[in-house]
């Protein structure tokens, strides 16, 4: 791992391999470790940049309001610091929400987009309200309940049965995440703008990846999003739920490598 200073914060990241840069952006409330099976494989042909977003994992929080846009701005500061002109942005779920913002505000820094297990639509009022309740609960009681409950929603039944180490990794990352950061990110996701209208304007090569059994960002909704991006590719990862890179890394890596070629 490497630590670099961005603004006032120390950011933790993996920077491995050489070639065209790919930026791997984790979901909520996770950290770089959800990409553990991508690093070796993708770094054979690419420079893989895999940060902990501000406040997550070992990265320090930034001061000021949290938003998907702010995270995207922060990632641009990061690639500036690493002297990278353009990246393939690969974000999962919350990472994907940040990806839409990266495209919207920094598209000159983007040469390809990979949207994994994510959606373009904003939250409904019901979902946003649920996030406010969840944020309050995390601030009052911590992340233990979330750590106990989320893996069953994130992983497919197949993974829950066969990938105990990965399930435990995710449980412990959630349990150890900082309460304030989790609450702020939860609220920020509830306030994110709707990116659906942007899809038809995306003109760079775009790959959508979905888990066959993703119950959080379902296949049909992602397929609809993909249909709106001209020329986009769509890959469904067998046996996987919401965490496709962790649940079926062979299929996931193959999809990314073929797309990068
Ligand atoms: C994630 O995996 O990042 C979350 O499921 C995103 C969300 O809560 O919408």
């Amino acid at each position: 791992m490497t630590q670099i200073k961005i603004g006032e914060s120390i950011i933790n990241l993996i920077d491995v391999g050489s070639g065209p840069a790919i930026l791997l952006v984790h979901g909520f409330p996770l950290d770089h470790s959800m990409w553990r099976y991508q690093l070796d494989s993708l770094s054979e042909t690419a420079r893989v940049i895999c940060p902990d977003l501000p406040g997550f994992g070992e990265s320090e929080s930034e001061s000021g309001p949290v938003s998907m846009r702010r995270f995207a701005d922060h990632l641009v500061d990061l690639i500036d610091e690493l002297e990278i002109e353009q990246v393939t942005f690969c974000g999962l779920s919350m990472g994907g929400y940040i990806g839409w913002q990266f495209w919207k505000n920094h598209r000159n820094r983007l040469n390809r987009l990979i949207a994994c297990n994510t959606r373009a639509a904003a939250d409904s009022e019901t979902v946003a309200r649920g996030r406010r309740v969840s944020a309050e609960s995390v601030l009052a009681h911590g992340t233990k309940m979330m750590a106990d409950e989320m893996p069953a929603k994130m992983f497919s039944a197949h993974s829950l049965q066969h990938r105990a180490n990965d399930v435990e990794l995710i449980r412990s990352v959630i349990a150890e995440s900082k309460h304030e950061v989790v609450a702020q990110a939860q609220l920020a996701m509830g306030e994110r703008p709707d990116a659906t209208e942007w899809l038809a304007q995306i003109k760079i090569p775009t790959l959508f990846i979905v888990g066959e059994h993703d119950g959080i960002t379902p296949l049909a909704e992602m397929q609809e999003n993909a249909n709106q991006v001209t020329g986009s590719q769509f890959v469904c990862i067998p046996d996987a739920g919401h965490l496709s890179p962790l649940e079926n890394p062979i299929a996931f890596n193959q999809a990314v490598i073929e797309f990068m070629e």
Side-chain angles (χ1 to χ4, degrees):
M1 300 287 319
T2 311
Q3 268 91 33
I4 60 173
K5 193 153 188 240
I6 306 289
E8 292 309 304
S9 314
I10 303 289
I11 293 301
N12 196 47
L13 75 146
I14 292 168
D15 179 356
V16 63
S18 59
I22 179 165
L23 180 62
L24 303 180
V25 183
H26 62 78
F28 168 87
L30 306 178
D31 67 8
H32 72 276
S33 62
M34 58 149 285
W35 302 109
R36 69 204 299 202
Y37 301 125
Q38 279 61 60
L39 302 174
D40 287 349
S41 167
L42 300 186
S43 65
E44 283 178 18
T45 49
R47 180 174 178 188
V48 180
I49 311 294
C50 184
D52 288 338
L53 287 165
F56 292 90
E58 300 294 317
S59 288
E60 292 176 359
S61 301
E62 291 181 313
S63 54
V66 173
S67 67
M68 299 302 113
R69 174 159 185 186
R70 180 63 206 121
F71 281 141
D73 295 347
H74 165 90
L75 290 169
V76 170
D77 292 344
L78 177 70
I79 63 171
D80 278 347
E81 191 66 31
L82 297 172
E83 297 183 352
I84 297 171
E85 193 51 43
Q86 286 199 317
V87 290
T88 294
F89 187 107
C90 176
L92 183 133
S93 201
M94 181 179 77
Y97 308 157
I98 299 168
W100 307 132
Q101 291 290 335
F102 200 99
W103 172 82
K104 179 82 180 152
N105 300 295
H106 306 287
R107 68 189 76 167
N108 59 328
R109 309 303 297 275
L110 195 59
N111 51 23
R112 289 188 192 82
L113 184 58
I114 307 178
C116 316
N117 305 80
T118 193
R119 58 159 54 86
D123 284 353
S124 65
E125 184 42 40
T126 310
V127 173
R129 196 176 320 116
R131 293 199 196 271
R132 294 194 284 274
V133 172
S134 163
E136 275 173 29
S137 157
V138 165
L139 288 176
H141 308 293
T143 52
K144 182 173 181 316
M145 196 165 88
M146 196 179 250
D148 290 341
E149 288 178 357
M150 275 189 83
K153 295 181 187 150
M154 292 175 129
F155 286 94
S156 67
H158 181 272
S159 303
L160 288 170
Q161 197 182 348
H162 297 287
R163 302 193 73 94
N165 290 347
D166 297 321
V167 175
E168 174 49 27
L169 168 80
I170 292 303
R171 196 204 60 74
S172 70
V173 169
I174 299 174
E176 285 159 29
S177 53
K178 299 176 200 84
H179 306 168
E180 183 122 327
V181 171
V182 172
Q184 284 172 340
Q186 187 70 285
L187 296 175
M189 285 191 289
E191 284 163 13
R192 73 188 191 279
D194 196 320
T196 314
E197 296 294 309
W198 305 348
L199 295 173
Q201 301 166 41
I202 297 178
K203 302 292 179 216
I204 51 172
T206 301
L207 168 65
F208 289 79
I209 300 182
V210 64
E212 182 183 12
H213 304 294
D214 190 338
I216 297 178
T217 45
L219 193 148
E221 187 175 342
M222 278 205 79
Q223 177 77 72
E224 255 177 55
N225 287 171
N227 289 345
Q228 293 177 59
V229 179
T230 311
S232 67
Q233 297 175 32
F234 184 85
V235 173
C236 173
I237 305 293
D239 294 330
H242 190 55
L243 297 177
S244 55
L246 200 56
E247 297 184 67
N248 189 342
I250 292 178
F252 183 93
N253 295 347
Q254 189 187 339
V256 171
I257 289 165
E258 282 177 15
F259 175 68
M260 298 281 283
E261 279 167 4

